[in-house]
Amino acid sequence: MSPRRNRPKSAGEDGPRTDAETSGRYGGFQSTENWQGEQWSLRHVAGASAAGKTYRCPGCDQEIPSGVAHVVAWPEHSGVDERRHWHKACWNAKDRRTTRVQRSRNAPRY
């Protein structure tokens, strides 16, 4: 007796392509979003894939520690050289934030 098959035979091969794609390398998925009149590519990075590196979020100007799930976003017209790593909550709140990040007097400048 053969083992039970949990997935349909043609899953993802001939089906319609959606805006979100799976990305095995980073453990998340990639999609596009419209923000301020531009198309942005988004990649959701799993926490396990972010081990060993820290990033600075442009939304809150705080560090994203190693091993924390986050979002990588870049404008489609400029390519991956303009990638920025955002906290998920900061990316979702980007329209509600001010344009200028205000730092405290003792905050480090990176």
Side-chain angles (χ1 to χ4, degrees):
M1 178 182 243
S2 63
R4 181 175 163 225
R5 181 182 292 263
N6 288 331
R7 284 181 241 139
K9 289 182 182 180
S10 63
E13 296 170 3
D14 296 325
R17 185 176 174 155
T18 61
D19 194 23
E21 298 177 353
T22 59
S23 175
R25 179 176 178 189
Y26 296 103
F29 64 92
Q30 186 169 337
S31 63
T32 58
E33 187 174 311
N34 210 0
W35 182 47
Q36 293 182 343
E38 291 185 79
Q39 281 292 108
W40 285 71
S41 293
L42 297 176
R43 180 172 290 152
H44 297 264
V45 180
S49 300
K53 294 185 178 181
T54 59
Y55 302 101
R56 183 153 303 269
C57 175
C60 64
D61 202 36
Q62 300 295 314
E63 284 190 0
I64 302 172
S66 173
V68 173
H70 60 278
V71 175
V72 180
W74 65 95
E76 282 198 357
H77 73 278
S78 64
V80 295
D81 292 337
E82 296 294 320
R83 285 183 296 200
R84 297 294 175 258
H85 296 254
W86 295 68
H87 292 107
K88 287 183 180 183
C90 293
W91 178 258
N92 293 335
K94 64 191 174 298
D95 293 326
R96 296 187 302 266
R97 294 186 180 273
T98 61
T99 57
R100 177 174 149 79
V101 175
Q102 298 177 358
R103 298 182 186 155
S104 68
R105 186 176 295 183
N106 297 328
R109 297 183 181 263
Y110 289 97

